[in-house]
Coordinates of all heavy atoms in Angstrom, one line a residue:
M2 N 101.7 297.0 -97.8 CA 101.9 298.0 -96.9 C 102.5 297.4 -95.7 O 102.1 296.4 -95.1 CB 100.6 298.7 -96.5 CG 100.7 299.8 -95.6 SD 99.1 300.6 -95.5 CE 99.1 301.4 -94.1
A3 N 103.7 297.9 -95.3 CA 104.4 297.4 -94.1 C 103.7 297.7 -92.8 O 103.2 298.8 -92.6 CB 105.8 297.9 -94.1
R4 N 103.7 296.7 -91.9 CA 103.1 297.0 -90.6 C 104.1 297.7 -89.7 O 105.3 297.5 -89.8 CB 102.7 295.7 -89.9 CG 101.6 295.0 -90.7 CD 101.1 293.9 -89.9 NE 99.9 293.3 -90.5 CZ 99.7 292.1 -90.9 NH1 100.6 291.3 -90.7 NH2 98.5 291.8 -91.5
K5 N 103.7 298.6 -88.9 CA 104.5 299.3 -87.9 C 104.8 298.4 -86.7 O 104.0 297.6 -86.3 CB 103.9 300.6 -87.4 CG 103.7 301.6 -88.6 CD 103.1 302.8 -88.0 CE 102.9 303.9 -89.1 NZ 102.1 305.1 -88.6
K6 N 106.0 298.4 -86.1 CA 106.4 297.7 -85.0 C 105.7 298.4 -83.7 O 105.5 299.6 -83.8 CB 107.9 297.6 -84.8 CG 108.5 296.8 -85.8 CD 110.1 296.7 -85.6 CE 110.6 295.8 -86.6 NZ 112.1 295.5 -86.3
K7 N 105.5 297.7 -82.8 CA 105.0 298.2 -81.5 C 106.1 299.2 -80.9 O 107.3 298.9 -81.0 CB 104.7 297.1 -80.6 CG 103.6 296.2 -80.9 CD 103.3 295.2 -79.9 CE 102.2 294.3 -80.2 NZ 101.9 293.3 -79.2
P8 N 105.6 300.2 -80.3 CA 106.6 301.2 -79.7 C 107.5 300.5 -78.6 O 108.6 301.0 -78.4 CB 105.7 302.2 -79.1 CG 104.4 302.1 -79.8 CD 104.2 300.7 -80.2
S9 N 107.0 299.5 -78.0 CA 107.8 298.8 -76.9 C 108.9 298.0 -77.5 O 109.7 297.6 -76.8 CB 106.9 297.9 -76.1 OG 106.4 296.9 -77.0
G10 N 108.9 297.7 -78.9 CA 109.8 296.9 -79.5 C 109.5 295.4 -79.4 O 110.2 294.6 -79.9
A11 N 108.3 295.1 -78.8 CA 107.9 293.7 -78.6 C 107.6 293.2 -80.0 O 106.9 293.9 -80.8 CB 106.9 293.5 -77.6
M12 N 107.8 291.9 -80.2 CA 107.5 291.3 -81.5 C 106.0 290.9 -81.4 O 105.4 290.5 -80.5 CB 108.3 290.0 -81.7 CG 109.7 290.3 -82.0 SD 110.7 288.9 -82.7 CE 110.8 287.9 -81.1
R13 N 105.3 291.1 -82.6 CA 104.0 290.7 -82.8 C 103.9 289.2 -83.0 O 104.7 288.6 -83.7 CB 103.5 291.4 -84.0 CG 102.0 291.4 -84.2 CD 101.6 292.2 -85.4 NE 102.0 291.7 -86.7 CZ 101.3 290.9 -87.4 NH1 100.1 290.5 -87.0 NH2 101.8 290.5 -88.6
R14 N 103.0 288.5 -82.3 CA 102.9 287.0 -82.3 C 101.8 286.5 -83.0 O 101.5 285.3 -82.9 CB 102.9 286.5 -80.8 CG 104.1 287.0 -80.1 CD 104.3 286.3 -78.7 NE 104.5 284.9 -78.8 CZ 105.6 284.3 -79.0 NH1 106.7 284.9 -79.3 NH2 105.6 282.9 -79.1
G15 N 101.1 287.3 -83.8 CA 100.0 286.8 -84.7 C 98.7 287.4 -84.3 O 98.7 288.3 -83.4
P16 N 97.6 287.1 -85.0 CA 97.6 286.1 -86.0 C 98.2 286.5 -87.3 O 98.1 287.7 -87.6 CB 96.1 285.8 -86.1 CG 95.5 287.1 -85.8 CD 96.4 287.7 -84.7
F17 N 98.8 285.6 -88.0 CA 99.3 285.8 -89.3 C 98.5 285.1 -90.4 O 97.8 284.2 -90.1 CB 100.8 285.2 -89.4 CG 101.7 285.8 -88.3 CD1 102.1 285.0 -87.2 CD2 102.0 287.1 -88.5 CE1 103.0 285.6 -86.3 CE2 103.0 287.7 -87.5 CZ 103.4 286.9 -86.4
A18 N 98.6 285.6 -91.6 CA 97.9 285.0 -92.8 C 99.0 284.5 -93.8 O 100.1 284.7 -93.6 CB 97.0 286.0 -93.4
F19 N 98.5 283.9 -94.9 CA 99.3 283.5 -95.9 C 100.3 284.5 -96.4 O 101.5 284.3 -96.5 CB 98.5 282.9 -97.0 CG 99.2 282.8 -98.4 CD1 100.1 281.7 -98.6 CD2 99.1 283.8 -99.4 CE1 100.8 281.6 -99.8 CE2 99.8 283.6 -100.6 CZ 100.6 282.6 -100.8
Q20 N 99.7 285.8 -96.7 CA 100.7 286.8 -97.1 C 101.8 287.1 -96.2 O 102.8 287.4 -96.7 CB 99.8 288.1 -97.4 CG 98.8 287.9 -98.5 CD 97.4 287.4 -98.0 OE1 97.3 287.0 -96.8 NE2 96.5 287.2 -98.9
D21 N 101.5 287.1 -95.0 CA 102.6 287.3 -94.0 C 103.8 286.2 -94.0 O 104.9 286.6 -94.0 CB 102.0 287.4 -92.6 CG 101.0 288.5 -92.4 OD1 101.2 289.6 -92.9 OD2 100.0 288.2 -91.7
L22 N 103.3 285.0 -94.0 CA 104.2 284.0 -94.1 C 105.0 284.0 -95.4 O 106.2 283.7 -95.5 CB 103.5 282.5 -93.9 CG 103.0 282.3 -92.6 CD1 102.1 281.1 -92.6 CD2 104.0 282.2 -91.5
E23 N 104.3 284.2 -96.5 CA 105.0 284.3 -97.8 C 106.1 285.4 -97.9 O 107.2 285.1 -98.3 CB 104.0 284.6 -98.9 CG 104.6 284.6 -100.3 CD 103.5 284.9 -101.4 OE1 102.7 285.8 -101.2 OE2 103.6 284.3 -102.4
R24 N 105.8 286.5 -97.3 CA 106.7 287.6 -97.2 C 107.9 287.2 -96.4 O 109.1 287.5 -96.8 CB 106.0 288.9 -96.6 CG 107.0 290.0 -96.6 CD 106.3 291.3 -96.1 NE 105.7 291.1 -94.8 CZ 106.4 291.1 -93.7 NH1 107.7 291.3 -93.6 NH2 105.7 291.0 -92.5
A25 N 107.7 286.6 -95.2 CA 108.8 286.1 -94.4 C 109.7 285.1 -95.1 O 110.9 285.2 -95.0 CB 108.3 285.6 -93.1
I26 N 109.1 284.1 -95.8 CA 109.8 283.1 -96.5 C 110.6 283.7 -97.6 O 111.8 283.4 -97.8 CB 108.8 282.1 -97.0 CG1 108.2 281.2 -95.9 CG2 109.5 281.1 -98.1 CD1 109.2 280.5 -95.0
K27 N 110.1 284.7 -98.3 CA 110.8 285.3 -99.4 C 112.0 286.1 -98.8 O 113.1 286.2 -99.4 CB 110.0 286.3 -100.2 CG 109.0 285.4 -101.1 CD 108.1 286.3 -102.0 CE 107.3 285.5 -103.0 NZ 106.4 286.4 -103.8
L28 N 111.8 286.8 -97.6 CA 112.9 287.5 -97.0 C 114.1 286.5 -96.6 O 115.3 286.8 -96.5 CB 112.5 288.2 -95.7 CG 111.6 289.5 -95.9 CD1 111.1 289.9 -94.7 CD2 112.5 290.6 -96.6
G29 N 113.7 285.3 -96.3 CA 114.7 284.3 -96.0 C 115.4 283.7 -97.2 O 116.3 282.8 -97.1
G30 N 115.1 284.1 -98.4 CA 115.8 283.7 -99.6 C 115.1 282.7 -100.3 O 115.7 282.2 -101.4
W31 N 113.9 282.2 -100.0 CA 113.2 281.2 -100.7 C 112.6 281.8 -102.0 O 112.0 282.9 -101.9 CB 112.2 280.6 -99.8 CG 112.7 279.8 -98.7 CD1 113.2 280.3 -97.5 CD2 113.1 278.4 -98.6 NE1 113.7 279.3 -96.7 CE2 113.7 278.2 -97.5 CE3 112.9 277.4 -99.6 CZ2 114.1 276.9 -97.1 CZ3 113.3 276.2 -99.2 CH2 113.9 275.9 -98.0
K32 N 112.6 281.1 -103.1 CA 112.0 281.6 -104.3 C 110.9 280.7 -104.8 O 110.8 279.5 -104.6 CB 113.0 281.5 -105.5 CG 114.4 282.1 -105.2 CD 114.3 283.7 -105.2 CE 115.6 284.3 -104.9 NZ 115.4 285.6 -104.3
L33 N 109.8 281.3 -105.4 CA 108.6 280.7 -105.8 C 108.9 279.6 -106.9 O 109.6 280.0 -107.9 CB 107.6 281.6 -106.2 CG 106.3 281.1 -106.7 CD1 105.5 280.4 -105.5 CD2 105.4 282.2 -107.2
E34 N 108.4 278.4 -106.7 CA 108.8 277.3 -107.7 C 107.4 277.0 -108.4 O 107.5 276.8 -109.6 CB 109.3 276.1 -107.0 CG 109.7 275.0 -108.0 CD 110.8 275.3 -108.9 OE1 111.6 276.1 -108.5 OE2 110.9 274.7 -109.9
G35 N 106.4 276.8 -107.7 CA 105.0 276.4 -108.4 C 103.9 277.3 -107.9 O 104.0 277.9 -106.8
H36 N 102.9 277.4 -108.7 CA 101.7 278.2 -108.4 C 100.5 277.4 -108.0 O 100.6 276.1 -107.9 CB 101.4 279.1 -109.6 CG 102.5 280.0 -110.1 ND1 102.7 281.2 -109.5 CD2 103.4 279.9 -111.0 CE1 103.8 281.8 -110.0 NE2 104.2 281.0 -110.9
G37 N 99.5 278.0 -107.6 CA 98.3 277.3 -107.3 C 97.9 277.6 -105.8 O 98.4 278.5 -105.2
D38 N 97.0 276.7 -105.2 CA 96.6 276.9 -103.9 C 97.7 276.6 -102.9 O 97.7 277.0 -101.7 CB 95.3 276.1 -103.6 CG 94.1 276.6 -104.2 OD1 94.1 277.8 -104.6 OD2 93.0 275.9 -104.3
H39 N 98.6 275.7 -103.3 CA 99.8 275.3 -102.5 C 101.2 275.6 -103.2 O 101.7 274.7 -103.6 CB 99.6 273.9 -102.1 CG 98.4 273.5 -101.4 ND1 98.3 273.8 -100.1 CD2 97.3 272.8 -101.9 CE1 97.0 273.3 -99.8 NE2 96.4 272.7 -100.9
P40 N 101.4 276.9 -103.2 CA 102.7 277.2 -103.8 C 103.9 276.7 -103.1 O 104.0 276.6 -102.0 CB 102.8 278.8 -103.9 CG 101.8 279.2 -102.8 CD 100.8 278.1 -102.6
N41 N 104.9 276.2 -103.9 CA 106.2 275.6 -103.4 C 107.3 276.7 -103.5 O 107.4 277.3 -104.6 CB 106.6 274.4 -104.1 CG 105.4 273.2 -103.9 OD1 105.0 273.1 -102.7 ND2 105.1 272.6 -104.9
Y42 N 108.1 276.7 -102.6 CA 109.3 277.6 -102.5 C 110.6 276.8 -102.4 O 110.6 275.9 -101.6 CB 109.2 278.6 -101.4 CG 108.0 279.5 -101.5 CD1 106.7 279.1 -101.1 CD2 108.1 280.7 -102.2 CE1 105.6 279.9 -101.2 CE2 107.0 281.6 -102.3 CZ 105.8 281.2 -101.9 OH 104.6 281.9 -102.0
N43 N 111.5 277.0 -103.2 CA 112.9 276.3 -103.2 C 113.9 277.4 -102.8 O 113.8 278.6 -103.0 CB 113.2 275.8 -104.5 CG 112.4 274.6 -104.8 OD1 111.9 273.9 -103.9 ND2 112.1 274.3 -106.0
H44 N 115.0 276.9 -102.2 CA 116.1 277.8 -101.7 C 117.4 277.4 -102.5 O 117.6 276.2 -102.7 CB 116.4 277.7 -100.2 CG 117.1 278.8 -99.6 ND1 118.5 278.8 -99.7 CD2 116.8 279.9 -99.0 CE1 119.0 279.9 -99.1 NE2 118.0 280.6 -98.6
P45 N 118.2 278.4 -102.9 CA 119.3 278.0 -103.8 C 120.3 277.2 -102.9 O 121.1 276.5 -103.5 CB 119.9 279.4 -104.2 CG 119.2 280.4 -103.4 CD 118.0 279.8 -102.8
R46 N 120.5 277.3 -101.6 CA 121.5 276.7 -100.8 C 120.9 275.6 -99.9 O 121.8 274.9 -99.2 CB 122.4 277.7 -100.1 CG 123.2 278.5 -101.0 CD 124.1 279.5 -100.4 NE 123.4 280.4 -99.5 CZ 122.8 281.6 -99.9 NH1 122.9 281.9 -101.2 NH2 122.2 282.3 -99.0
K47 N 119.7 275.6 -99.6 CA 119.1 274.7 -98.7 C 118.3 273.6 -99.4 O 117.8 273.8 -100.4 CB 118.2 275.4 -97.7 CG 118.8 276.4 -96.8 CD 117.9 277.1 -95.9 CE 118.4 278.2 -95.0 NZ 117.6 278.8 -94.2
S48 N 118.3 272.4 -98.7 CA 117.6 271.3 -99.5 C 116.1 271.4 -99.0 O 115.8 272.0 -98.0 CB 118.2 270.0 -99.0 OG 118.1 269.8 -97.7
G49 N 115.3 270.7 -99.7 CA 113.8 270.6 -99.4 C 113.1 271.8 -100.0 O 113.6 272.6 -100.9
K50 N 111.8 271.8 -99.6 CA 110.9 273.0 -100.1 C 110.1 273.4 -99.0 O 109.9 272.7 -98.0 CB 110.1 272.4 -101.3 CG 109.1 271.3 -100.9 CD 108.2 270.9 -102.1 CE 107.3 269.8 -101.7 NZ 106.4 269.4 -102.8
V51 N 109.4 274.5 -99.2 CA 108.4 275.1 -98.2 C 107.1 275.2 -99.0 O 107.1 275.7 -100.1 CB 108.8 276.5 -97.7 CG1 107.8 277.0 -96.8 CG2 110.2 276.4 -96.9
Q52 N 106.1 274.6 -98.5 CA 104.8 274.6 -99.1 C 103.8 275.4 -98.2 O 103.7 275.1 -97.0 CB 104.3 273.1 -99.3 CG 103.0 273.1 -100.1 CD 102.6 271.7 -100.4 OE1 102.6 270.9 -99.6 NE2 102.2 271.4 -101.6
L53 N 103.1 276.3 -98.8 CA 102.2 277.1 -98.1 C 100.8 277.0 -98.7 O 100.7 276.5 -99.8 CB 102.5 278.7 -98.2 CG 103.9 279.0 -97.6 CD1 104.1 280.5 -97.8 CD2 104.1 278.7 -96.2
D54 N 99.7 277.4 -98.0 CA 98.4 277.3 -98.4 C 97.8 278.7 -98.5 O 97.8 279.4 -97.4 CB 97.6 276.4 -97.6 CG 96.2 276.1 -98.0 OD1 95.7 276.8 -99.0 OD2 95.6 275.2 -97.6
K55 N 97.2 279.1 -99.6 CA 96.7 280.4 -99.8 C 95.5 280.7 -98.9 O 95.2 281.8 -98.8 CB 96.4 280.7 -101.2 CG 97.6 280.9 -102.2 CD 97.2 281.2 -103.6 CE 98.5 281.4 -104.4 NZ 98.2 281.8 -105.8
K56 N 94.9 279.6 -98.4 CA 93.7 279.8 -97.5 C 94.0 280.0 -96.1 O 93.1 280.2 -95.3 CB 92.8 278.6 -97.8 CG 92.4 278.4 -99.1 CD 91.5 277.1 -99.3 CE 91.1 277.0 -100.7 NZ 90.4 275.7 -101.0
W57 N 95.3 280.0 -95.7 CA 95.6 280.1 -94.3 C 95.4 281.6 -93.8 O 95.7 282.5 -94.3 CB 97.1 279.8 -94.0 CG 97.5 278.4 -94.1 CD1 96.6 277.3 -94.0 CD2 98.7 277.8 -94.2 NE1 97.3 276.2 -94.1 CE2 98.7 276.5 -94.2 CE3 100.1 278.4 -94.4 CZ2 99.7 275.6 -94.4 CZ3 101.1 277.5 -94.5 CH2 100.9 276.2 -94.5
T58 N 94.7 281.6 -92.6 CA 94.4 282.8 -91.8 C 94.5 282.5 -90.4 O 94.3 281.3 -89.9 CB 93.1 283.4 -92.2 OG1 92.0 282.5 -91.9 CG2 93.0 283.9 -93.7
G59 N 94.7 283.5 -89.6 CA 94.6 283.3 -88.2 C 95.8 282.4 -87.5 O 95.5 281.7 -86.5
I60 N 96.9 282.3 -88.1 CA 98.0 281.5 -87.6 C 98.8 282.2 -86.5 O 99.3 283.3 -86.7 CB 98.9 281.0 -88.7 CG1 98.1 280.3 -89.8 CG2 100.1 280.2 -88.2 CD1 98.9 280.1 -91.0
R61 N 98.9 281.6 -85.4 CA 99.6 282.2 -84.2 C 101.0 281.5 -84.2 O 101.3 280.6 -84.8 CB 98.9 282.0 -83.0 CG 97.5 282.6 -83.0 CD 97.2 283.3 -81.7 NE 96.0 283.9 -81.7 CZ 95.8 285.2 -81.8 NH1 96.9 286.0 -81.7 NH2 94.6 285.8 -81.9
A62 N 101.9 282.2 -83.4 CA 103.3 282.0 -83.4 C 103.6 280.5 -82.9 O 104.7 280.0 -83.3 CB 104.0 282.9 -82.5
N63 N 102.8 279.8 -82.1 CA 103.2 278.5 -81.7 C 102.1 277.5 -82.1 O 102.1 276.5 -81.6 CB 103.3 278.6 -80.1 CG 104.5 279.3 -79.7 OD1 105.5 279.2 -80.2 ND2 104.3 280.0 -78.6
D64 N 101.5 277.8 -83.2 CA 100.5 276.9 -83.9 C 101.4 275.8 -84.6 O 102.5 275.9 -84.9 CB 99.7 277.5 -84.8 CG 98.4 278.3 -84.2 OD1 98.3 278.2 -82.9 OD2 97.8 279.0 -84.9
T65 N 100.7 274.7 -84.8 CA 101.3 273.5 -85.6 C 101.7 274.0 -87.0 O 102.8 273.6 -87.4 CB 100.3 272.3 -85.6 OG1 99.9 271.9 -84.4 CG2 101.0 271.1 -86.3
I66 N 100.9 274.8 -87.6 CA 101.2 275.3 -88.9 C 102.4 276.1 -88.9 O 103.3 276.0 -89.8 CB 100.0 276.0 -89.5 CG1 98.9 275.0 -89.9 CG2 100.5 276.7 -90.8 CD1 97.6 275.7 -90.3
F67 N 102.6 277.0 -87.9 CA 103.7 277.9 -87.8 C 105.0 277.1 -87.7 O 106.0 277.3 -88.3 CB 103.5 278.8 -86.6 CG 104.5 279.9 -86.5 CD1 104.3 281.1 -87.2 CD2 105.7 279.7 -85.8 CE1 105.2 282.2 -87.0 CE2 106.6 280.8 -85.7 CZ 106.4 281.9 -86.3
S68 N 104.9 276.1 -86.7 CA 106.2 275.2 -86.5 C 106.5 274.4 -87.8 O 107.7 274.3 -88.1 CB 105.8 274.3 -85.3 OG 105.6 275.1 -84.2
S69 N 105.5 274.0 -88.5 CA 105.8 273.2 -89.7 C 106.4 274.1 -90.8 O 107.4 273.6 -91.4 CB 104.4 272.7 -90.2 OG 104.7 272.0 -91.4
V70 N 106.0 275.3 -90.9 CA 106.6 276.2 -91.9 C 108.1 276.5 -91.5 O 108.9 276.5 -92.4 CB 105.8 277.4 -92.1 CG1 106.4 278.5 -92.9 CG2 104.4 277.2 -92.7
A71 N 108.2 276.8 -90.3 CA 109.6 277.0 -89.8 C 110.6 275.9 -90.0 O 111.6 276.0 -90.5 CB 109.5 277.4 -88.3
R72 N 110.0 274.7 -89.7 CA 110.8 273.5 -89.9 C 111.2 273.2 -91.4 O 112.3 272.9 -91.7 CB 110.1 272.2 -89.3 CG 110.9 271.0 -89.4 CD 110.1 269.8 -88.7 NE 108.7 269.9 -88.5 CZ 107.8 269.5 -89.4 NH1 108.2 269.1 -90.6 NH2 106.6 269.6 -89.2
Q73 N 110.2 273.4 -92.2 CA 110.5 273.2 -93.7 C 111.4 274.2 -94.2 O 112.2 273.9 -95.1 CB 109.1 273.4 -94.4 CG 108.1 272.4 -94.3 CD 106.7 272.6 -95.0 OE1 106.8 273.2 -96.1 NE2 105.7 272.2 -94.4
A74 N 111.5 275.4 -93.6 CA 112.3 276.5 -94.0 C 113.7 276.4 -93.3 O 114.5 277.3 -93.5 CB 111.7 277.8 -93.8
S75 N 113.9 275.3 -92.5 CA 115.2 275.2 -91.8 C 115.4 276.3 -90.8 O 116.6 276.8 -90.7 CB 116.4 275.0 -92.6 OG 116.3 273.9 -93.5
L76 N 114.4 276.9 -90.2 CA 114.4 277.9 -89.2 C 113.8 277.5 -87.9 O 113.0 276.6 -87.8 CB 113.6 279.1 -89.7 CG 114.0 279.8 -91.1 CD1 113.0 280.8 -91.6 CD2 115.4 280.5 -90.9
S77 N 114.2 278.2 -86.8 CA 113.5 278.0 -85.6 C 112.3 278.8 -85.6 O 112.2 279.8 -86.4 CB 114.5 278.4 -84.4 OG 114.6 279.8 -84.4
N78 N 111.4 278.5 -84.7 CA 110.2 279.4 -84.6 C 110.5 280.8 -84.3 O 110.0 281.8 -84.9 CB 109.3 278.9 -83.5 CG 108.5 277.5 -83.9 OD1 108.7 277.0 -84.9 ND2 107.6 277.1 -83.0
R79 N 111.6 281.1 -83.5 CA 111.9 282.4 -83.2 C 112.5 283.1 -84.4 O 112.2 284.4 -84.6 CB 113.0 282.4 -82.0 CG 113.4 283.8 -81.7 CD 114.4 283.7 -80.4 NE 114.8 285.0 -80.0 CZ 114.2 285.8 -79.2 NH1 113.0 285.4 -78.6 NH2 114.6 286.9 -78.8
Q80 N 113.4 282.4 -85.2 CA 113.9 283.1 -86.4 C 112.7 283.4 -87.4 O 112.8 284.5 -88.0 CB 114.8 282.1 -87.1 CG 116.1 282.0 -86.4 CD 117.0 280.8 -86.9 OE1 116.5 279.8 -87.4 NE2 118.3 281.0 -86.8
L81 N 111.7 282.5 -87.6 CA 110.6 282.8 -88.5 C 109.8 284.0 -87.9 O 109.4 284.9 -88.7 CB 109.6 281.6 -88.6 CG 108.5 281.7 -89.5 CD1 108.9 282.2 -90.9 CD2 107.7 280.5 -89.6
L82 N 109.7 284.1 -86.6 CA 108.9 285.2 -85.9 C 109.6 286.5 -86.2 O 109.0 287.5 -86.5 CB 108.7 284.9 -84.5 CG 107.8 285.9 -83.7 CD1 106.4 285.8 -84.3 CD2 107.9 285.5 -82.3
Q83 N 111.0 286.5 -86.2 CA 111.8 287.7 -86.4 C 111.6 288.1 -87.9 O 111.4 289.3 -88.2 CB 113.3 287.5 -86.1 CG 113.5 287.3 -84.7 CD 114.9 287.0 -84.3 OE1 115.7 286.5 -85.2 NE2 115.3 287.2 -83.1
L84 N 111.6 287.2 -88.8 CA 111.3 287.5 -90.2 C 109.9 288.1 -90.5 O 109.8 289.1 -91.2 CB 111.5 286.3 -91.1 CG 112.9 285.8 -91.4 CD1 112.9 284.5 -92.2 CD2 113.8 286.9 -92.1
L85 N 109.0 287.6 -89.7 CA 107.6 288.1 -89.8 C 107.5 289.6 -89.3 O 106.6 290.2 -89.7 CB 106.6 287.2 -89.0 CG 106.2 285.9 -89.8 CD1 105.7 284.9 -88.8 CD2 105.4 286.2 -90.9
N86 N 108.4 289.9 -88.4 CA 108.2 291.2 -87.7 C 109.3 292.3 -88.3 O 109.4 293.3 -87.8 CB 108.5 291.1 -86.3 CG 107.2 290.5 -85.5 OD1 106.3 291.3 -85.4 ND2 107.2 289.3 -85.2
E87 N 109.9 291.9 -89.4 CA 110.8 292.9 -90.0 C 109.9 293.8 -90.9 O 108.9 293.5 -91.4 CB 111.8 292.1 -91.0 CG 112.9 291.5 -90.2 CD 114.0 290.9 -91.1 OE1 113.9 291.1 -92.4 OE2 114.9 290.3 -90.6

């Protein structure tokens, strides 16, 4: 179920869970490569991989985990936040 945006148009800054990050990564073009507690995602045109943990909850926009996921996906924190709020 999609979350509604705030009437003010302000972006939601968290907390986010695994499902939110996974949805944002998939919107960015990353495809699931491996299953398990730490699924890996590969991108057809970008090098590297993004690894998430299914147990993640309560992640805020400027946490270390958030920054790590953004860096792995070759995105800035702001770009990842925009994907999370689509």
Side-chain angles (χ1 to χ4, degrees):
M2 182 167 157
R4 292 190 173 124
K5 294 181 181 177
K6 290 186 180 181
K7 292 182 180 180
S9 65
M12 290 194 285
R13 192 171 70 89
R14 299 191 63 79
F17 301 110
F19 162 77
Q20 293 85 0
D21 301 319
L22 291 171
E23 181 182 43
R24 183 178 54 80
I26 292 298
K27 287 182 177 180
L28 283 173
W31 294 84
K32 306 291 182 205
L33 182 63
E34 180 69 23
H36 299 281
D38 284 344
H39 301 285
N41 294 315
Y42 298 86
N43 289 331
H44 196 279
R46 291 182 304 275
K47 295 181 182 179
S48 63
K50 66 179 180 178
V51 176
Q52 186 176 46
L53 303 178
D54 187 348
K55 289 184 178 181
K56 297 177 185 174
W57 284 345
T58 59
I60 298 169
R61 298 221 176 254
N63 290 320
D64 284 352
T65 305
I66 292 173
F67 188 90
S68 298
S69 176
V70 170
R72 184 175 21 84
Q73 289 176 40
S75 302
L76 301 169
S77 68
N78 283 7
R79 183 175 178 85
Q80 290 170 326
L81 181 56
L82 189 60
Q83 287 174 342
L84 286 173
L85 283 163
N86 282 287
E87 283 188 4

